[in-house]
Amino acid sequence: QVQLVESGGGLVQPGGSLSLSCVVSGGTLDEAAIGWFRQAPGKEREGVLCSGISGDSTYYSDSVKGRFTISRDNAKNTVYLQMNSLRPEDTGVYYCARRTWYVAGCSLHYAFPTWGQGTQVTVSS
């Protein structure tokens, strides 16, 4: 059974940085698309970024372009979300999700079947 565990969240001041990790167990990463999503209080969950099997990135949110990057280490079964120049509106619970790449790549038209439990990110002074 594939499981995802996020870590690295916390409290950071505006303009600061955080690096989130998503560790995948019970399955390989080299045939998986891994997406990062977030949900702010009172809002719907939204897509942030997705990592493809070639190490490519798909941005779901224009608001994070130039500030967030995604990377993966297949040997460690880990995908990272580096978040710089954080803003209060980046506050929320961040989730990673997995899909077999050949099903739908990073497309948001299809659901990601496997999700982590989330990690809280709070950007506040």
Side-chain angles (χ1 to χ4, degrees), residues 28-66:
T28 60
L29 191 57
D30 54 357
E31 294 185 347
I34 301 293
W36 280 99
F37 298 79
R38 66 186 180 186
Q39 187 165 20
K43 295 187 176 181
E44 292 188 355
R45 186 170 59 197
E46 65 169 350
V48 179
L49 267 168
C50 180
S51 170
I53 60 173
S54 300
D56 54 307
S57 303
T58 299
Y59 281 87
Y60 295 139
S61 171
D62 287 341
S63 70
V64 305
K65 287 182 178 178

Side-chain angles (χ1 to χ4, degrees), residues 52-124:
I53 60 173
S54 300
D56 54 307
S57 303
T58 299
Y59 281 87
Y60 295 139
S61 171
D62 287 341
S63 70
V64 305
K65 287 182 178 178
R67 302 188 298 123
F68 291 12
T69 57
I70 192 170
S71 61
R72 60 167 62 199
D73 185 337
N74 286 354
K76 295 183 178 180
N77 267 8
T78 302
V79 175
Y80 305 95
L81 181 67
Q82 178 65 40
M83 306 186 295
N84 300 324
S85 302
L86 282 161
R87 305 168 180 169
E89 54 264 38
D90 295 318
T91 294
V93 179
Y94 282 69
Y95 302 89
C96 61
R98 180 190 183 277
R99 171 199 293 146
T100 301
W101 173 259
Y102 305 107
V103 172
C106 282
S107 173
L108 283 180
H109 292 296
Y110 301 90
F112 280 76
T114 308
W115 292 77
Q117 83 290 347
T119 185
Q120 175 70 44
V121 172
T122 303
V123 185
S124 175

